[in-house]
Amino acid sequence: MDKLVHDDKGTTISNDGATIMKLLDIVHPAAKILVDIAKSQDSEVGDGTTTVVLLAGEFLREAKPFVEDGVHPQLIIRAFRTAAELVVKKVKELAVSIEGKSMDEKKSLLEKCAATTLSSKLVGGEKDFFAKMVVDAVASLGPDSRLNMIGIKKVQGGTMRDSFLVNGVAFKKTFSYAGFEQQPKKFDNPKILLLNLELELKSEKENAEVRLSDPTQYQTIVDAEWNIIYEKLDKCVKSGAKIVLSRLAIGDLGTQYFADRDIFCAGRVMEEDLQRVASATGASVQTTVNNVIPDVLGQCEFFEERQVGNERFNIFTGCPGGETATIVLRGGADQFIEEAERSLHDAIMIVRRALKNSNVVAGGGAIDMELSRYLRQHARTIAGKSQLFINSYAKALEVIPRQLCDNAGFDATDVLNKLRQKHALASGEGALYGVDINNGGIIDTFSSFVWEPSVVKINALTAATEAASIVLSVDETIKNPKSEAAQGEAMGGRGMGRGMGGMRGGRGGRGMRRR
């Protein structure tokens, strides 16, 4: 299910764990740790943000009864860390490599990974369509895939199926002056000049004062201003460029001048779009028009300006640098398109990760159930208290398939019992069984292509264990009374009595009151 978060900035509908965590105004210091691990998972892997928070919460829930019974938290932390090391090792054993396959095979495997990520999102209905688009976008980046080289542009209207991928750069038509209509809107193999300067008449900035002895000299000063701008424009034309893009404004005089000479120009292009054009076409951004040599000009096979919805887009395709792509998203409501963008961001991150670390594991809760079974077996070989703690860690891992069942509307107890039975088979054939979201019950998720990169699982398990350990290792919360004074008056002094009661309860000072 999605969450609707309403704040000063507006309304956001999302089910991306990291997005929701960022939007929540969390005051509780321990809960902030969970926000941080969701953010770290998002920046490191891109997906599995909800998984991290769920796991950390479940580890703490399992540890709570032990702490209340007077077990020292350090014992629990040690056992949890041992368990985390064991499961990470096990994930690496169970992972299947997709290395060494041909590019076509690899693409179809990566599409499966992307589709798994998208299935829980708002765009899940069109996951195959978007999975293919995401894989094509990432594949066009080449080995050194920087995330900012994939642009996502949002255009309201149309359906999701109207979204398309440009193997090159696309950006919205910028603000234009009169004379723009006469410019050609299509070019084959044009030269491209990128500038970071204004091409318009500027009055003197420094409040300069010019004293004239003869009124006729006034005209020469006015002419000088015009000559400067004409000289700049003339140099742009002589460079042989057919497309001139600038980060700053190109005024009406420049627009008209270029239109008369069949040159396309656009001013006030956004910095990131300009950088993507530069890396795609091989052009260098110039801060002056003097000495524009052919080496600084870029080139692409085809440029056109075309209508997308009610916006006009400038589209560069067939770029020699080639290491950039743009996804143009269509859809009804603004919130919907923004959620689609967040979903695609997750999918893009996953595909990039899977390309670099090409190991995948079975999704749909299969890997979690297998790890849980493995830990339970391992716990029996341990003498001492940590047997109980590792067992509880194993139980906590079942939260993932349980949550999947709840989200899909199935009876979690029923499905989990089937999964436990399947995974307990001595032959090991049940290791790949997870929740069947489409029909209810269980299914071999690996053969139904519900995959996720192993790096997502490893990162989630380690981050969640660390967060749970940090919270467990705290036994006192110390507040600064001065900074709390203003809040304390509003609270009416209730907090004080509570803290003292906890302290008197002997071990209650651990941060959990005795019931």
Side-chain angles (χ1 to χ4, degrees):
M1 301 297 285
D2 294 348
K3 306 286 168 276
L4 190 150
V5 183
H6 182 68
D7 55 11
D8 311 338
K9 298 187 189 88
T11 306
T12 310
I13 299 173
S14 177
N15 74 356
D16 176 42
T19 308
I20 294 167
M21 288 301 217
K22 276 180 206 154
L23 292 170
L24 294 179
D25 186 15
I26 292 174
V27 183
H28 196 290
K32 278 185 179 162
I33 297 171
L34 299 187
V35 179
D36 289 341
I37 57 168
K39 283 182 185 167
S40 90
Q41 178 82 3
D42 195 41
S43 59
E44 179 63 29
V45 193
D47 193 29
T49 45
T50 324
T51 307
V52 161
V53 178
L54 258 182
L55 281 173
E58 199 64 18
F59 291 153
L60 289 171
R61 180 183 294 167
E62 290 295 332
K64 186 180 176 185
F66 294 125
V67 178
E68 286 177 339
D69 290 343
V71 176
H72 197 286
Q74 283 302 336
L75 292 173
I76 304 174
I77 291 169
R78 212 168 299 140
F80 275 14
R81 286 201 173 132
T82 311
E85 279 171 29
L86 287 167
V87 292
V88 167
K89 208 181 286 175
K90 188 71 175 167
V91 170
K92 286 177 179 166
E93 278 174 34
L94 291 168
V96 177
S97 174
I98 56 171
E99 200 55 80
K101 303 259 197 311
S102 70
M103 199 55 204
D104 288 345
E105 276 184 292
K106 228 177 195 178
K107 270 190 175 177
S108 78
L109 298 176
L110 290 169
E111 277 172 31
K112 309 286 192 307
C113 288
T116 305
T117 301
L118 292 170
S119 58
S120 64
K121 310 283 189 211
L122 208 56
V123 293
E126 302 285 359
K127 64 181 178 188
D128 296 333
F129 173 72
F130 281 114
K132 187 172 181 346
M133 190 185 284
V134 165
V135 172
D136 288 345
V138 176
S140 67
L141 290 191
D144 177 32
S145 58
R146 282 179 301 166
L147 192 61
N148 58 357
M149 286 295 128
I150 296 184
I152 298 183
K153 302 291 174 193
K154 300 173 289 222
V155 184
Q156 248 188 316
T159 63
M160 282 196 296
R161 283 258 167 193
D162 294 339
S163 307
F164 60 92
L165 173 73
V166 176
N167 280 326
V169 186
F171 55 84
K172 268 183 205 165
K173 169 180 170 294
T174 53
F175 178 81
S176 55
Y177 290 92
F180 181 80
E181 295 77 23
Q182 287 99 318
Q183 293 181 352
K185 302 292 188 284
K186 268 186 190 175
F187 287 104
D188 284 316
N189 292 319
K191 291 263 191 289
I192 300 162
L193 174 62
L194 305 181
L195 299 172
N196 188 4
L197 80 162
E198 288 172 312
L199 291 177
E200 55 182 345
L201 270 173
K202 300 297 289 177
S203 56
E204 191 54 59
K205 281 195 182 80
E206 303 298 324
N207 291 335
E209 186 178 302
V210 181
R211 300 196 172 195
L212 303 173
S213 53
D214 179 3
T216 54
Q217 291 173 335
Y218 177 69
Q219 191 56 41
T220 56
I221 288 165
V222 175
D223 289 346
E225 278 188 348
W226 283 84
N227 287 339
I228 289 170
I229 178 78
Y230 273 128
E231 196 181 329
K232 280 184 181 175
L233 295 170
D234 195 40
K235 282 178 178 166
C236 291
V237 175
K238 280 184 176 158
S239 71
K242 281 293 178 194
I243 297 173
V244 180
L245 303 180
S246 175
R247 202 172 72 80
L248 302 170
I250 294 181
D252 45 2
L253 174 74
T255 308
Q256 196 66 58
Y257 189 91
F258 287 136
D260 294 343
R261 286 156 185 76
D262 282 347
I263 293 175
F264 175 89
C265 72
R268 301 194 180 131
V269 178
M270 290 193 26
E271 175 74 38
E272 59 183 44
D273 290 329
L274 205 63
Q275 290 304 336
R276 294 213 330 272
V277 173
S279 72
T281 59
S284 311
V285 180
Q286 301 297 299
T287 49
T288 171
V289 288
N290 296 327
N291 193 24
V292 175
I293 52 174
D295 294 1
V296 301
L297 296 178
Q299 196 165 7
C300 71
E301 281 175 21
F302 187 62
F303 165 83
E304 71 167 332
E305 181 179 295
R306 77 170 196 242
Q307 193 81 15
V308 178
N310 57 358
E311 303 278 359
R312 290 193 72 75
F313 265 74
N314 300 333
I315 298 174
F316 299 80
T317 49
C319 305
E323 297 192 353
T324 175
T326 310
I327 295 173
V328 180
L329 281 179
R330 308 293 311 278
D334 261 352
Q335 285 96 335
F336 182 82
I337 302 180
E338 276 172 19
E339 174 59 5
E341 182 191 12
R342 283 190 288 272
S343 308
L344 286 190
H345 169 262
D346 281 9
I348 288 167
M349 290 290 281
I350 282 295
V351 173
R352 280 178 68 223
R353 281 279 167 243
L355 261 177
K356 282 185 182 156
N357 310 330
S358 50
N359 287 343
V360 293
V361 292
I367 185 79
D368 306 275
M369 287 304 290
E370 186 57 20
L371 294 175
S372 176
R373 179 201 64 79
Y374 166 68
L375 275 186
R376 282 197 169 128
Q377 277 188 350
H378 180 82
R380 293 196 191 108
T381 65
I382 299 170
K385 287 180 187 165
S386 57
Q387 179 182 7
L388 297 167
F389 310 145
I390 289 183
N391 228 353
S392 65
Y393 189 100
K395 188 180 170 200
L397 290 174
E398 290 184 353
V399 71
I400 304 293
R402 188 184 311 128
Q403 200 57 52
L404 283 174
C405 295
D406 288 348
N407 291 354
F410 303 133
D411 180 4
T413 318
D414 189 33
V415 176
L416 274 178
N417 284 338
K418 283 184 191 166
L419 279 177
R420 283 195 199 103
Q421 179 266 329
K422 202 73 177 164
H423 281 261
L425 292 174
S427 59
E429 64 184 54
L432 302 175
Y433 273 76
V435 183
D436 182 0
I437 301 291
N438 300 323
N439 313 313
I442 63 174
I443 192 173
D444 182 340
T445 51
F446 200 81
S447 58
S448 351
F449 306 117
V450 181
W451 296 348
E452 49 187 338
S454 56
V455 63
V456 177
K457 263 286 163 277
I458 292 170
N459 211 59
L461 288 162
T462 47
T465 310
E466 278 170 20
S469 302
I470 289 171
V471 177
L472 280 171
S473 64
V474 174
D475 72 335
E476 291 285 356
T477 309
I478 300 166
K479 291 184 177 178
N480 178 350
K482 282 183 185 169
S483 67
E484 295 288 326
Q487 292 176 18
E489 286 162 22
M491 290 282 285
R494 277 180 303 173
M496 191 63 190
R498 228 157 148 200
M500 296 305 283
M503 290 299 286
R504 271 202 296 275
R507 301 191 76 91
R510 282 258 155 74
M512 294 190 185
R513 281 185 299 150
R514 275 193 174 286
R515 283 201 180 82

